[in-house]
Amino acid sequence: MNDDTFDEDYAGLDADADLLEEELRRAAGILDPVPAQLRQIAVEAYALHDLDSRIAELTFDSVVDAIPVRGATDVPRMLTFRAGEVTVDVEVTGEGLLGQVLPPQEALIEVLSGPQTGTPLTTDDMGRFTYGQPPAGPFALRLRTGREAIVTDWLTV
């Protein structure tokens, strides 16, 4: 049996294996779910993997600190984080995130929303960045400038 015959005989099995794996994951989630305490420990341990990062404190949240405008609907949420002299302003909308790092500088930004990191974003010359997906569930931002790494507080929108 040559390699071509082998590949043709087993070409559809990868898709079948993927479906089987997904069904087994769903069954395990129903029959033997991860205990809430273990999930919390895992989340806390994951938060420590970037221990050398500075934590950016939430200094402004439009939900808490701003006066609501009567009759306004679907208003973007404005957030400001500060770590030392670095400030990150973020606008959360139904379309995603718009933000700016101040003072303006180049930075690599990751939107964290669980165990997988998002696609790295790069700021422009004025420190601005956009993320085209609204965050689902808790999220945080990790910024890597030339000098330091900064992680924001986790928030749920």
Side-chain angles (χ1 to χ4, degrees):
M1 176 166 27
N2 64 30
D3 288 339
D4 292 336
T5 306
F6 181 82
D7 289 343
E8 290 171 10
D9 290 343
Y10 294 99
L13 292 182
D14 286 338
D16 292 340
D18 291 342
L19 289 173
L20 177 61
E21 180 182 359
E22 182 60 32
E23 285 184 39
L24 291 173
R25 284 184 190 276
R26 275 190 264 146
I30 293 169
L31 299 173
D32 188 23
V34 176
Q37 184 179 10
L38 182 59
R39 182 180 304 272
Q40 183 62 33
I41 290 169
V43 168
E44 290 169 359
Y46 178 74
L48 294 176
H49 90 280
D50 205 6
L51 204 52
D52 63 335
S53 297
R54 292 178 47 194
I55 303 296
E57 177 186 7
L58 179 65
T59 59
F60 176 82
D61 184 348
S62 62
V63 171
V64 177
D65 301 320
I67 299 172
V69 176
R70 192 172 12 167
T73 59
D74 200 26
V75 178
R77 186 171 179 182
M78 306 300 290
L79 306 166
T80 300
F81 300 94
R82 179 177 295 276
E85 295 184 18
V86 176
T87 301
V88 182
D89 291 322
V90 180
E91 180 179 313
V92 183
T93 68
E95 287 81 40
L97 305 175
L98 299 170
Q100 184 172 20
V101 178
L102 297 168
Q105 57 188 292
E106 288 188 19
L108 183 67
I109 299 173
E110 295 172 274
V111 179
L112 308 174
S113 61
Q116 299 91 3
T117 58
T119 304
L121 310 169
T122 306
T123 60
D124 64 12
D125 294 342
M126 301 201 48
R128 298 175 298 195
F129 63 92
T130 59
Y131 182 69
Q133 296 176 306
F139 80 98
L141 300 175
R142 180 183 300 131
L143 294 85
R144 296 187 190 279
T145 65
R147 296 170 292 214
E148 61 189 340
I150 298 170
V151 177
T152 67
D153 288 333
W154 284 82
L155 289 170
T156 302
V157 290

